[in-house]
PDB file of all heavy atoms in Angstrom:
ATOM      1  N   LEU P   1      17.743  -3.507 -12.036  1.00 97.00           N
ATOM      2  CA  LEU P   1      18.635  -3.714 -10.894  1.00 97.00           C
ATOM      3  C   LEU P   1      17.851  -4.039  -9.629  1.00 97.00           C
ATOM      4  O   LEU P   1      18.258  -4.909  -8.841  1.00 97.00           O
ATOM      5  CB  LEU P   1      19.489  -2.466 -10.680  1.00 97.00           C
ATOM      6  CG  LEU P   1      20.392  -2.450  -9.451  1.00 97.00           C
ATOM      7  CD1 LEU P   1      21.392  -3.600  -9.473  1.00 97.00           C
ATOM      8  CD2 LEU P   1      21.117  -1.109  -9.335  1.00 97.00           C
ATOM      9  N   ALA P   2      16.729  -3.373  -9.424  1.00 97.00           N
ATOM     10  CA  ALA P   2      15.923  -3.626  -8.225  1.00 97.00           C
ATOM     11  C   ALA P   2      15.490  -5.087  -8.146  1.00 97.00           C
ATOM     12  O   ALA P   2      15.467  -5.687  -7.062  1.00 97.00           O
ATOM     13  CB  ALA P   2      14.698  -2.718  -8.223  1.00 97.00           C
ATOM     14  N   HIS P   3      15.157  -5.684  -9.288  1.00 97.00           N
ATOM     15  CA  HIS P   3      14.714  -7.080  -9.288  1.00 97.00           C
ATOM     16  C   HIS P   3      15.879  -8.039  -9.027  1.00 97.00           C
ATOM     17  O   HIS P   3      15.725  -9.032  -8.301  1.00 97.00           O
ATOM     18  CB  HIS P   3      14.037  -7.409 -10.609  1.00 97.00           C
ATOM     19  CG  HIS P   3      12.820  -6.580 -10.889  1.00 97.00           C
ATOM     20  ND1 HIS P   3      11.794  -6.438  -9.981  1.00 97.00           N
ATOM     21  CD2 HIS P   3      12.475  -5.825 -11.976  1.00 97.00           C
ATOM     22  CE1 HIS P   3      10.857  -5.651 -10.496  1.00 97.00           C
ATOM     23  NE2 HIS P   3      11.251  -5.266 -11.698  1.00 97.00           N
ATOM     24  N   ILE P   4      17.043  -7.754  -9.593  1.00 96.00           N
ATOM     25  CA  ILE P   4      18.197  -8.646  -9.427  1.00 96.00           C
ATOM     26  C   ILE P   4      18.781  -8.549  -8.020  1.00 96.00           C
ATOM     27  O   ILE P   4      19.235  -9.548  -7.454  1.00 96.00           O
ATOM     28  CB  ILE P   4      19.274  -8.308 -10.479  1.00 96.00           C
ATOM     29  CG1 ILE P   4      18.756  -8.650 -11.882  1.00 96.00           C
ATOM     30  CG2 ILE P   4      20.576  -9.040 -10.200  1.00 96.00           C
ATOM     31  CD1 ILE P   4      18.414 -10.102 -12.088  1.00 96.00           C
ATOM     32  N   ALA P   5      18.759  -7.343  -7.442  1.00 94.00           N
ATOM     33  CA  ALA P   5      19.422  -7.112  -6.148  1.00 94.00           C
ATOM     34  C   ALA P   5      18.476  -7.255  -4.964  1.00 94.00           C
ATOM     35  O   ALA P   5      18.789  -6.797  -3.863  1.00 94.00           O
ATOM     36  CB  ALA P   5      20.066  -5.720  -6.143  1.00 94.00           C
ATOM     37  N   GLU P   6      17.335  -7.916  -5.160  1.00 95.00           N
ATOM     38  CA  GLU P   6      16.325  -7.975  -4.106  1.00 95.00           C
ATOM     39  C   GLU P   6      16.867  -8.552  -2.801  1.00 95.00           C
ATOM     40  O   GLU P   6      16.505  -8.095  -1.704  1.00 95.00           O
ATOM     41  CB  GLU P   6      15.132  -8.804  -4.568  1.00 95.00           C
ATOM     42  CG  GLU P   6      14.026  -8.906  -3.524  1.00 95.00           C
ATOM     43  CD  GLU P   6      12.869  -9.752  -3.992  1.00 95.00           C
ATOM     44  OE1 GLU P   6      13.021 -10.479  -4.993  1.00 95.00           O
ATOM     45  OE2 GLU P   6      11.809  -9.702  -3.336  1.00 95.00           O
ATOM     46  N   SER P   7      17.756  -9.540  -2.860  1.00 93.00           N
ATOM     47  CA  SER P   7      18.219 -10.196  -1.629  1.00 93.00           C
ATOM     48  C   SER P   7      19.087  -9.278  -0.772  1.00 93.00           C
ATOM     49  O   SER P   7      19.150  -9.455   0.444  1.00 93.00           O
ATOM     50  CB  SER P   7      18.990 -11.479  -1.967  1.00 93.00           C
ATOM     51  OG  SER P   7      20.153 -11.183  -2.709  1.00 93.00           O
ATOM     52  N   ILE P   8      19.757  -8.309  -1.385  1.00 94.00           N
ATOM     53  CA  ILE P   8      20.586  -7.394  -0.594  1.00 94.00           C
ATOM     54  C   ILE P   8      19.939  -6.021  -0.421  1.00 94.00           C
ATOM     55  O   ILE P   8      20.306  -5.270   0.483  1.00 94.00           O
ATOM     56  CB  ILE P   8      21.994  -7.221  -1.204  1.00 94.00           C
ATOM     57  CG1 ILE P   8      21.912  -6.596  -2.602  1.00 94.00           C
ATOM     58  CG2 ILE P   8      22.743  -8.533  -1.226  1.00 94.00           C
ATOM     59  CD1 ILE P   8      23.268  -6.207  -3.151  1.00 94.00           C
ATOM     60  N   ALA P   9      18.961  -5.683  -1.274  1.00 95.00           N
ATOM     61  CA  ALA P   9      18.277  -4.387  -1.187  1.00 95.00           C
ATOM     62  C   ALA P   9      16.775  -4.601  -1.357  1.00 95.00           C
ATOM     63  O   ALA P   9      16.177  -4.170  -2.343  1.00 95.00           O
ATOM     64  CB  ALA P   9      18.822  -3.429  -2.248  1.00 95.00           C
ATOM     65  N   PRO P  10      16.136  -5.262  -0.392  1.00 97.00           N
ATOM     66  CA  PRO P  10      14.729  -5.638  -0.566  1.00 97.00           C
ATOM     67  C   PRO P  10      13.781  -4.446  -0.686  1.00 97.00           C
ATOM     68  O   PRO P  10      12.763  -4.530  -1.375  1.00 97.00           O
ATOM     69  CB  PRO P  10      14.426  -6.476   0.681  1.00 97.00           C
ATOM     70  CG  PRO P  10      15.462  -6.047   1.694  1.00 97.00           C
ATOM     71  CD  PRO P  10      16.682  -5.741   0.898  1.00 97.00           C
ATOM     72  N   LYS P  11      14.103  -3.341  -0.019  1.00 97.00           N
ATOM     73  CA  LYS P  11      13.189  -2.196  -0.060  1.00 97.00           C
ATOM     74  C   LYS P  11      13.178  -1.527  -1.429  1.00 97.00           C
ATOM     75  O   LYS P  11      12.182  -0.906  -1.807  1.00 97.00           O
ATOM     76  CB  LYS P  11      13.555  -1.187   1.029  1.00 97.00           C
ATOM     77  CG  LYS P  11      13.217  -1.658   2.434  1.00 97.00           C
ATOM     78  CD  LYS P  11      13.359  -0.548   3.449  1.00 97.00           C
ATOM     79  CE  LYS P  11      12.903  -1.007   4.832  1.00 97.00           C
ATOM     80  NZ  LYS P  11      12.999   0.081   5.829  1.00 97.00           N
ATOM     81  N   LEU P  12      14.287  -1.672  -2.155  1.00 97.00           N
ATOM     82  CA  LEU P  12      14.341  -1.095  -3.493  1.00 97.00           C
ATOM     83  C   LEU P  12      13.289  -1.741  -4.388  1.00 97.00           C
ATOM     84  O   LEU P  12      12.530  -1.047  -5.070  1.00 97.00           O
ATOM     85  CB  LEU P  12      15.745  -1.281  -4.065  1.00 97.00           C
ATOM     86  CG  LEU P  12      16.013  -0.693  -5.444  1.00 97.00           C
ATOM     87  CD1 LEU P  12      15.825   0.817  -5.439  1.00 97.00           C
ATOM     88  CD2 LEU P  12      17.426  -1.049  -5.911  1.00 97.00           C
ATOM     89  N   ARG P  13      13.249  -3.066  -4.395  1.00 97.00           N
ATOM     90  CA  ARG P  13      12.238  -3.749  -5.215  1.00 97.00           C
ATOM     91  C   ARG P  13      10.830  -3.509  -4.675  1.00 97.00           C
ATOM     92  O   ARG P  13       9.868  -3.368  -5.445  1.00 97.00           O
ATOM     93  CB  ARG P  13      12.520  -5.244  -5.290  1.00 97.00           C
ATOM     94  CG  ARG P  13      11.619  -5.978  -6.280  1.00 97.00           C
ATOM     95  CD  ARG P  13      12.092  -7.403  -6.524  1.00 97.00           C
ATOM     96  NE  ARG P  13      11.376  -8.019  -7.635  1.00 97.00           N
ATOM     97  CZ  ARG P  13      10.282  -8.752  -7.505  1.00 97.00           C
ATOM     98  NH1 ARG P  13       9.765  -8.971  -6.303  1.00 97.00           N
ATOM     99  NH2 ARG P  13       9.705  -9.286  -8.579  1.00 97.00           N
ATOM    100  N   GLU P  14      10.699  -3.445  -3.346  1.00 98.00           N
ATOM    101  CA  GLU P  14       9.388  -3.156  -2.755  1.00 98.00           C
ATOM    102  C   GLU P  14       8.875  -1.805  -3.236  1.00 98.00           C
ATOM    103  O   GLU P  14       7.686  -1.655  -3.558  1.00 98.00           O
ATOM    104  CB  GLU P  14       9.485  -3.174  -1.229  1.00 98.00           C
ATOM    105  CG  GLU P  14       8.170  -2.915  -0.523  1.00 98.00           C
ATOM    106  CD  GLU P  14       8.307  -2.867   0.989  1.00 98.00           C
ATOM    107  OE1 GLU P  14       9.406  -3.148   1.519  1.00 98.00           O
ATOM    108  OE2 GLU P  14       7.311  -2.519   1.657  1.00 98.00           O
ATOM    109  N   GLN P  15       9.769  -0.820  -3.301  1.00 98.00           N
ATOM    110  CA  GLN P  15       9.364   0.504  -3.764  1.00 98.00           C
ATOM    111  C   GLN P  15       8.997   0.484  -5.246  1.00 98.00           C
ATOM    112  O   GLN P  15       7.964   1.035  -5.651  1.00 98.00           O
ATOM    113  CB  GLN P  15      10.484   1.513  -3.518  1.00 98.00           C
ATOM    114  CG  GLN P  15      10.088   2.947  -3.861  1.00 98.00           C
ATOM    115  CD  GLN P  15      11.212   3.936  -3.632  1.00 98.00           C
ATOM    116  OE1 GLN P  15      12.393   3.606  -3.781  1.00 98.00           O
ATOM    117  NE2 GLN P  15      10.858   5.167  -3.276  1.00 98.00           N
ATOM    118  N   VAL P  16       9.828  -0.150  -6.070  1.00 98.00           N
ATOM    119  CA  VAL P  16       9.578  -0.202  -7.512  1.00 98.00           C
ATOM    120  C   VAL P  16       8.272  -0.920  -7.821  1.00 98.00           C
ATOM    121  O   VAL P  16       7.546  -0.544  -8.756  1.00 98.00           O
ATOM    122  CB  VAL P  16      10.761  -0.873  -8.235  1.00 98.00           C
ATOM    123  CG1 VAL P  16      10.400  -1.268  -9.662  1.00 98.00           C
ATOM    124  CG2 VAL P  16      11.968   0.051  -8.240  1.00 98.00           C
ATOM    125  N   ASN P  17       7.928  -1.939  -7.049  1.00 98.00           N
ATOM    126  CA  ASN P  17       6.710  -2.709  -7.304  1.00 98.00           C
ATOM    127  C   ASN P  17       5.535  -2.284  -6.420  1.00 98.00           C
ATOM    128  O   ASN P  17       4.515  -2.983  -6.374  1.00 98.00           O
ATOM    129  CB  ASN P  17       6.972  -4.205  -7.111  1.00 98.00           C
ATOM    130  CG  ASN P  17       7.454  -4.875  -8.390  1.00 98.00           C
ATOM    131  OD1 ASN P  17       7.515  -4.247  -9.439  1.00 98.00           O
ATOM    132  ND2 ASN P  17       7.795  -6.147  -8.300  1.00 98.00           N
ATOM    133  N   SER P  18       5.665  -1.160  -5.745  1.00 98.00           N
ATOM    134  CA  SER P  18       4.585  -0.694  -4.873  1.00 98.00           C
ATOM    135  C   SER P  18       3.390  -0.228  -5.700  1.00 98.00           C
ATOM    136  O   SER P  18       3.531   0.105  -6.889  1.00 98.00           O
ATOM    137  CB  SER P  18       5.077   0.457  -4.005  1.00 98.00           C
ATOM    138  OG  SER P  18       5.357   1.602  -4.802  1.00 98.00           O
ATOM    139  N   PRO P  19       2.199  -0.184  -5.098  1.00 98.00           N
ATOM    140  CA  PRO P  19       1.027   0.293  -5.845  1.00 98.00           C
ATOM    141  C   PRO P  19       1.220   1.684  -6.433  1.00 98.00           C
ATOM    142  O   PRO P  19       0.863   1.927  -7.594  1.00 98.00           O
ATOM    143  CB  PRO P  19      -0.085   0.268  -4.788  1.00 98.00           C
ATOM    144  CG  PRO P  19       0.329  -0.797  -3.831  1.00 98.00           C
ATOM    145  CD  PRO P  19       1.827  -0.700  -3.754  1.00 98.00           C
ATOM    146  N   ALA P  20       1.791   2.605  -5.664  1.00 98.00           N
ATOM    147  CA  ALA P  20       1.965   3.973  -6.169  1.00 98.00           C
ATOM    148  C   ALA P  20       2.912   4.005  -7.358  1.00 98.00           C
ATOM    149  O   ALA P  20       2.657   4.702  -8.353  1.00 98.00           O
ATOM    150  CB  ALA P  20       2.466   4.888  -5.059  1.00 98.00           C
ATOM    151  N   ALA P  21       4.022   3.273  -7.289  1.00 98.00           N
ATOM    152  CA  ALA P  21       4.964   3.258  -8.408  1.00 98.00           C
ATOM    153  C   ALA P  21       4.293   2.699  -9.663  1.00 98.00           C
ATOM    154  O   ALA P  21       4.461   3.231 -10.771  1.00 98.00           O
ATOM    155  CB  ALA P  21       6.192   2.433  -8.053  1.00 98.00           C
ATOM    156  N   ARG P  22       3.537   1.632  -9.511  1.00 98.00           N
ATOM    157  CA  ARG P  22       2.849   1.043 -10.661  1.00 98.00           C
ATOM    158  C   ARG P  22       1.867   2.035 -11.286  1.00 98.00           C
ATOM    159  O   ARG P  22       1.639   2.026 -12.501  1.00 98.00           O
ATOM    160  CB  ARG P  22       2.096  -0.220 -10.225  1.00 98.00           C
ATOM    161  CG  ARG P  22       2.991  -1.386  -9.806  1.00 98.00           C
ATOM    162  CD  ARG P  22       2.150  -2.479  -9.149  1.00 98.00           C
ATOM    163  NE  ARG P  22       2.937  -3.590  -8.678  1.00 98.00           N
ATOM    164  CZ  ARG P  22       3.155  -4.720  -9.360  1.00 98.00           C
ATOM    165  NH1 ARG P  22       2.654  -4.851 -10.569  1.00 98.00           N
ATOM    166  NH2 ARG P  22       3.873  -5.687  -8.848  1.00 98.00           N
ATOM    167  N   GLN P  23       1.269   2.889 -10.456  1.00 99.00           N
ATOM    168  CA  GLN P  23       0.307   3.865 -10.966  1.00 99.00           C
ATOM    169  C   GLN P  23       0.985   5.078 -11.587  1.00 99.00           C
ATOM    170  O   GLN P  23       0.484   5.653 -12.558  1.00 99.00           O
ATOM    171  CB  GLN P  23      -0.612   4.324  -9.830  1.00 99.00           C
ATOM    172  CG  GLN P  23      -1.534   3.232  -9.311  1.00 99.00           C
ATOM    173  CD  GLN P  23      -2.360   3.701  -8.135  1.00 99.00           C
ATOM    174  OE1 GLN P  23      -1.882   4.375  -7.233  1.00 99.00           O
ATOM    175  NE2 GLN P  23      -3.644   3.365  -8.149  1.00 99.00           N
ATOM    176  N   LEU P  24       2.125   5.481 -11.031  1.00 98.00           N
ATOM    177  CA  LEU P  24       2.788   6.696 -11.490  1.00 98.00           C
ATOM    178  C   LEU P  24       3.582   6.496 -12.771  1.00 98.00           C
ATOM    179  O   LEU P  24       3.633   7.389 -13.628  1.00 98.00           O
ATOM    180  CB  LEU P  24       3.743   7.206 -10.395  1.00 98.00           C
ATOM    181  CG  LEU P  24       3.112   7.727  -9.113  1.00 98.00           C
ATOM    182  CD1 LEU P  24       4.193   7.949  -8.054  1.00 98.00           C
ATOM    183  CD2 LEU P  24       2.372   9.037  -9.373  1.00 98.00           C
ATOM    184  N   LEU P  25       4.236   5.336 -12.902  1.00 98.00           N
ATOM    185  CA  LEU P  25       5.181   5.140 -13.988  1.00 98.00           C
ATOM    186  C   LEU P  25       4.467   4.901 -15.320  1.00 98.00           C
ATOM    187  O   LEU P  25       3.557   4.082 -15.419  1.00 98.00           O
ATOM    188  CB  LEU P  25       6.090   3.953 -13.685  1.00 98.00           C
ATOM    189  CG  LEU P  25       7.018   4.120 -12.473  1.00 98.00           C
ATOM    190  CD1 LEU P  25       7.849   2.871 -12.264  1.00 98.00           C
ATOM    191  CD2 LEU P  25       7.919   5.340 -12.656  1.00 98.00           C
ATOM    192  N   ALA P  26       4.926   5.610 -16.343  1.00 98.00           N
ATOM    193  CA  ALA P  26       4.389   5.374 -17.682  1.00 98.00           C
ATOM    194  C   ALA P  26       4.714   3.964 -18.146  1.00 98.00           C
ATOM    195  O   ALA P  26       3.893   3.309 -18.801  1.00 98.00           O
ATOM    196  CB  ALA P  26       4.949   6.398 -18.653  1.00 98.00           C
ATOM    197  N   LEU P  27       5.921   3.477 -17.799  1.00 98.00           N
ATOM    198  CA  LEU P  27       6.334   2.111 -18.128  1.00 98.00           C
ATOM    199  C   LEU P  27       6.918   1.462 -16.880  1.00 98.00           C
ATOM    200  O   LEU P  27       7.798   2.035 -16.228  1.00 98.00           O
ATOM    201  CB  LEU P  27       7.370   2.103 -19.251  1.00 98.00           C
ATOM    202  CG  LEU P  27       6.897   2.581 -20.625  1.00 98.00           C
ATOM    203  CD1 LEU P  27       8.058   2.584 -21.615  1.00 98.00           C
ATOM    204  CD2 LEU P  27       5.738   1.734 -21.147  1.00 98.00           C
TER     205      LEU P  27
END
C-alpha cells in the first residue's frame, strides 16, 4: 500500500523505504 499510495501519502513510503526500516525488517 505504501508504494501504491505514494502520491497521497508520501511519508508512508519514505518511512517504509528508509535506511532503518530496511535494516530492521526481516523481509
